[in-house]
Amino acid sequence: MPITNTSKGMRTVHDIPVLRDIPVLVRAALNVPIEHGGVANDYRLRRALPTLQYLSERGARIVLVSHIGDKGTETLKPVADALSRLIPNVSFCETTIGEAARQAVRALHPGHILVLENVRRDRGETENDPLFAKELALLADVFVQDSFDTCHRMHASVVGVPKLLPSYAGILLAEEVQELAKAMRPGHPALAVIGGAKFSTKEPVLKSLLKVYDHVFVGGALANDFLKASGHDVGVSLVSGAPADDIRTLLENEKLVVPTDVVVTTPEESGTPDARTRARVTEPRAVGKNESILDVGPTTSALLAELARTSKTILWNGPLGNYEHGFTDATDALARAIGASNAHSVIGGGDTIAAIEKLGTLS
């Protein structure tokens, strides 16, 4: 059954009146892990397929725009190659805007898909440059937002283009809005696990969750802010520099849960191949001045596993440790615990999804 108007004022692709031979600009979530020049995990690409298939079957000329990586230098070429193995008639354009991109769009046949180069290669994207947004909008007659994980960003392809084109939600975005709406009316007991690095972006989320969830666990680099505000020396761990008073206000809520033990190592060791084996587990109060917190410890993991076992609803976003550098134990342990639970689970975040898929617990 088509999902339409899942939220007040939300129009979806099912509401687009005409699609045949219409160029449609789709902001997709194609930020997948790349290893050895190829896509290491295509879960996000498979999640993007329903919107692409819907548009393709109705003869739209589909123009995909997305980012990949954080540096602004990475290419979406391997992503386009991987996508072409999942859905037919996919091509790649080495530019994002300009005459070459416009020619590539004009050459598209109905039902075919064009992947533009990494949108963040142009500073106009992250700076929300109106001229860059206009160049993107010139490529299509309709805009579809299907990248939920970028909706909070003030970037040209997220907030600039919708001002210039008739705009609709993709199928994936609409589904995720629906799931989050359910998550804000959880069955109890309810557990929320929130990772990330910036307190400023997570503060309103935490405040909302603390109103409706029984336990809200803070992990990842975000936890370092809370441990520091609690009076612990976090050494050289990554912190966001958020106002301590704001964090202490949240710490006063008995529903908030922070790590009781952590995995630490020195910056010199953290980048070495055997960093995990040389790391040590300690209580937050005993972190050394030259040490960095890179994961939560086994006692905390056991606590989370027990909370997951007894929960009816679990909301999880963000890994518990420095996942990219191999500190995956706590994240993997939580993925297994959630997979073994009977809870209704809502899970987001690239590394979080990767952990669950790697362990075969994704459904």
Side-chain angles (χ1 to χ4, degrees):
M1 178 177 166
I3 301 173
T4 58
N5 298 318
T6 58
S7 179
K8 185 177 181 180
M10 177 181 285
R11 300 183 302 175
T12 76
V13 290
H14 300 101
D15 300 311
I16 302 175
V18 179
L19 283 171
R20 182 71 187 178
D21 206 27
I22 299 297
V24 179
L25 186 69
V26 180
R27 181 50 163 103
L30 307 182
N31 186 26
V32 296
I34 303 294
E35 294 179 6
H36 310 296
V39 172
N41 186 312
D42 67 356
Y43 176 77
R44 283 193 172 190
L45 303 187
R46 288 185 278 113
R47 290 283 283 161
L49 291 180
T51 295
L52 301 183
Q53 289 168 337
Y54 179 87
L55 295 171
S56 177
E57 289 168 0
R58 285 153 184 81
R61 292 186 285 135
I62 306 159
V63 184
L64 282 182
V65 61
S66 181
H67 76 281
I68 186 166
D70 298 320
K71 300 176 182 177
T73 58
E74 296 91 334
T75 178
L76 279 168
K77 179 62 168 63
V79 179
D81 292 340
L83 189 62
S84 69
R85 294 190 285 272
L86 298 174
I87 189 170
N89 302 315
V90 176
S91 58
F92 177 71
C93 180
E94 295 181 352
T95 62
T96 307
I97 59 173
E99 183 55 31
R102 291 192 290 272
Q103 286 184 4
V105 174
R106 287 194 291 268
L108 269 180
H109 294 290
H112 289 205
I113 300 168
L114 177 69
V115 180
L116 300 178
E117 184 55 282
N118 180 4
V119 72
R120 290 188 184 172
R121 284 195 170 190
D122 193 303
R123 290 175 57 186
E125 164 67 357
T126 55
E127 294 176 359
N128 191 20
D129 183 347
L131 293 178
F132 183 71
K134 182 178 180 180
E135 285 290 322
L136 285 174
L138 286 173
L139 299 175
D141 295 339
V142 174
F143 176 71
V144 171
Q145 173 57 272
D146 208 30
S147 177
F148 181 83
D149 60 341
T150 60
C151 283
H152 66 290
R153 299 192 181 278
M154 295 295 291
H155 290 178
S157 68
V158 179
V159 298
V161 173
K163 296 177 181 178
L164 303 171
L165 293 175
S167 301
Y168 301 82
I171 294 171
L172 176 59
L173 177 66
E175 287 179 351
E176 291 185 321
V177 170
Q178 275 193 341
E179 286 301 311
L180 278 180
K182 292 178 185 176
M184 293 312 293
R185 300 187 299 273
H188 295 276
L191 167 67
V193 180
I194 304 298
K198 285 188 177 182
F199 176 77
S200 59
T201 61
K202 300 296 184 181
E203 182 181 15
V205 175
L206 292 172
K207 286 181 176 179
S208 296
L209 293 174
L210 286 167
K211 293 176 182 178
V212 293
Y213 276 71
D214 301 288
H215 299 96
V216 178
F217 178 81
V218 179
L222 183 65
N224 299 339
D225 285 323
F226 285 81
L227 295 175
K228 184 176 181 180
S230 299
H232 300 301
D233 187 344
V234 296
V236 292
S237 305
L238 177 66
V239 292
S240 68
D245 288 343
D246 294 347
I247 299 174
R248 291 192 191 104
T249 299
L250 294 177
L251 283 166
E252 292 173 359
N253 192 312
E254 61 182 14
K255 296 180 179 180
L256 192 82
V257 183
V258 297
T260 57
D261 62 338
V262 292
V263 177
V264 299
T265 187
T266 63
E268 293 77 16
E269 293 176 338
S270 63
T272 61
D274 59 345
R276 286 179 59 210
T277 60
R278 302 174 75 175
R280 73 183 185 97
V281 177
T282 185
E283 295 179 1
R285 61 182 176 84
V287 175
K289 293 187 178 299
N290 193 40
E291 289 182 319
S292 178
I293 299 170
L294 293 176
D295 205 354
V296 303
T299 300
T300 303
S301 288
L303 169 64
L304 282 174
E306 178 60 20
L307 289 174
R309 185 187 67 81
T310 58
S311 293
K312 291 185 178 180
T313 303
I314 301 172
L315 175 66
W316 180 19
N317 181 269
L320 303 183
N322 192 326
Y323 201 85
E324 291 182 353
H325 289 89
F327 289 84
T328 64
D329 289 352
T331 299
D332 291 347
L334 180 57
R336 284 190 291 268
I338 293 176
S341 76
N342 295 317
H344 173 73
S345 303
V346 179
I347 297 168
D351 288 336
T352 319
I353 296 296
I356 291 177
E357 185 169 68
K358 180 182 70 176
L359 296 171
T361 56
L362 191 63
S363 60

